[in-house]
């Protein structure tokens, strides 16, 4: 029998994931608060559902792709949510970049009703979601992971099981802290080299052949910064959320992490010139507006 999958949150990531699952032969329905998002997936083999309760009741597996932990908690534990309307044996794959605390709370509550939960935050952007090539870092109990595997394999090219509930989000938060830092440090290196007479393209080529390379130099600068496209599909607002999650986690654990703290401060204070809706790569403009800005 064809597995019925519901996707809640059909934005830049969830829309692509839903289309990928439909292309891979799953019976896919989707729900979003936005009419436009529902219309977009309808053209890609996904059944748009306007009643979230109906979707929750009718599927075997639910994939969540929501902005923040608070949305995940509301959809899972709130009125007319998954705890109330879901059924034993159902599996929830939460791909939201959320918090370890929220993942553990939701997983424990759903387990009482024999509903399985995985925190499976993703990397790879909207292109990876649409191609089914994302990387997932997964926090889950082995039995739930095994049952979810056919859906996970269809959605992603690479899966790393990092531990029990919540650990997927620990790894994702640490990953995005580094990605946020590398964008700034690489922008500083490019700006420094430009002033010392080396073209940005040549500096990036040199870094990528050396030990200073990272996803910022290998992917972000060549794809979205040097050409000033700034159209990755991941926003300043979502990356600000992620560096904020890293700061909050360090605070909860009473850790003194000066570089992480500075990175978070630089991302939050850039709000004065870079709106939440801008592409996250635009953070490089705070280092050198002339070199990286749109007007150059
Ligand atoms: P997005 O803003 O494009 O999409 C979020 C969608 O959720 C929107 O369509 C919104 O209408 C919908 N939504 C919000 N609250 C809802 C609710 N209560 N019920 C149903 N739908 C609701 O965001 P995105 O870029 O797709 O990111 C989704 C998650 O994936 C975030 O946690 C983000 O940090 C993470 N992420 C994004 C990227 C990326 O490149 N965009 C990469 C990796 C991880």
């Amino acid at each position: 029998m064809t597995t019925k999958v519901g996707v809640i949150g059909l934005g830049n990531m969830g829309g692509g994931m839903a289309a990928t699952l439909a292309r891979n032969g799953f019976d896919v329905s989707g729900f979003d608060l936005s009419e436009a998002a529902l219309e977009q997936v309808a053209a890609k083999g996904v059944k748009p559902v306007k009643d979230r309760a109906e979707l929750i009741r009718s599927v075997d597996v639910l994939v969540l792709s929501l902005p923040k932990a608070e949305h995940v908690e509301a959809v899972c534990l709130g009125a007319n949510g998954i705890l109330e309307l879901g059924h034993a044996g159902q599996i929830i794959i939460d791909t939201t970049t959320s918090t370890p605390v929220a993942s553990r709370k939701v997983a424990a509550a759903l387990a009482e009703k024999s509903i399985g939960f995985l925190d499976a935050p993703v990397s790879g952007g909207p292109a990876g979601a649409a191609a089914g090539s994302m990387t997932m870092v997964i926090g889950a109990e082995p039995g739930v992971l095994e049952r979810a595997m056919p859906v996970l394999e269809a959605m992603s090219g690479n899966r790393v099981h990092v531990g029990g509930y919540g650990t997927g989000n620990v790894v994702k938060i640490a990953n995005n802290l580094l990605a946020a830092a590398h964008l700034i440090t690489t922008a500083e290196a490019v700006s420094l080299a430009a002033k010392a007479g080396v073209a940005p393209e040549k500096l990036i080529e040199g870094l990528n052949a050396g030990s200073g390379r990272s996803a910022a130099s290998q992917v972000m600068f060549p794809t979205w910064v040097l050409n000033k496209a700034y159209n990755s599909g991941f926003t300043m607002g979502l990356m600000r959320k992620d560096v904020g999650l890293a700061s909050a986690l360090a605070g909860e654990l009473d850790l003194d992490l000066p570089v992480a703290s500075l990175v978070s401060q630089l991302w939050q204070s850039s709000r004065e010139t870079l709106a939440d809706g801008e592409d996250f790569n635009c953070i490089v403009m705070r280092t050198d507006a002339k070199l990286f800005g749109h007007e150059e």
Side-chain angles (χ1 to χ4, degrees):
M1 209 175 67
T2 312
T3 304
K4 289 185 177 169
V5 183
V7 181
I8 300 184
L10 300 165
N12 286 327
M13 297 300 289
M17 292 180 209
T20 293
L21 289 168
R23 207 172 56 241
N24 278 276
F26 292 95
D27 178 352
V28 185
S29 311
F31 172 81
D32 196 292
L33 298 175
S34 144
E35 280 287 332
L38 283 171
E39 276 169 30
Q40 273 180 16
V41 294
K44 294 176 185 165
V46 177
K47 285 178 247 168
V49 177
K50 296 203 173 169
D51 178 1
R52 193 186 75 186
E54 180 193 323
L55 179 79
I56 293 173
R57 283 198 192 95
S58 64
V59 297
D60 309 305
V61 176
L62 272 162
V63 175
L64 310 183
S65 177
L66 296 163
K68 297 183 182 178
E70 67 208 50
H71 303 108
V72 173
E73 287 198 35
V75 168
C76 291
L77 309 180
N80 280 321
I82 296 168
L83 182 63
E84 196 177 318
L85 304 174
H87 52 265
Q90 210 169 20
I91 293 175
I92 316 305
I93 300 172
D94 181 20
T95 69
T96 310
T97 304
S98 171
T99 67
V101 169
S103 297
R104 287 181 192 126
K105 180 177 165 187
V106 169
L110 295 180
E112 296 283 315
K113 215 173 158 181
S114 300
I115 299 173
F117 177 92
L118 307 84
D119 48 305
V122 295
S123 295
S133 61
M134 303 183 299
T135 289
M136 296 179 128
V137 282
I138 303 172
E141 299 310 321
V144 175
L145 179 63
E146 196 181 318
R147 286 195 291 130
M149 198 50 86
V151 177
L152 298 174
E153 282 177 345
M155 293 167 71
S156 59
N158 192 14
R159 294 156 297 282
V160 185
H161 182 205
V162 292
Y165 304 130
T167 57
N169 274 314
V170 172
V171 175
K172 178 62 180 167
I173 289 169
N175 180 81
N176 279 24
L177 171 64
L178 288 180
H182 291 160
L183 260 174
I184 295 177
T185 52
T186 306
E188 292 187 0
V190 171
S191 179
L192 172 77
K195 287 185 175 90
V198 177
E201 290 75 10
K202 282 291 158 197
L203 188 269
I204 290 294
E205 198 181 329
L207 290 182
N208 286 340
S211 56
R213 68 186 181 274
S214 66
S217 65
Q218 293 181 307
V219 179
M220 295 160 195
F221 271 71
T223 316
W224 299 299
V225 175
L226 295 179
N227 59 4
K228 302 194 176 182
Y230 297 114
N231 62 354
S232 72
F234 185 49
T235 61
M236 287 292 301
L238 286 175
M239 189 54 124
R240 282 191 182 112
K241 171 205 53 162
D242 295 347
V243 291
L245 293 178
S247 286
L249 190 56
E252 280 163 33
L253 298 168
D254 206 16
L255 299 176
D256 176 25
L257 304 177
V259 177
S261 159
L262 178 60
V263 169
S264 176
Q265 195 187 310
L266 294 173
W267 277 83
Q268 305 307 347
S269 64
S270 68
R271 199 176 261 116
E272 284 167 24
T273 52
L274 295 164
D276 274 351
E278 299 270 11
D279 190 271
F280 83 114
N281 290 288
C282 292
I283 191 68
V284 299
M285 294 177 193
R286 68 153 297 291
T287 299
D288 192 333
K290 194 159 181 291
L291 184 62
F292 298 121
H294 294 292
E295 70 278 4
E296 255 284 290

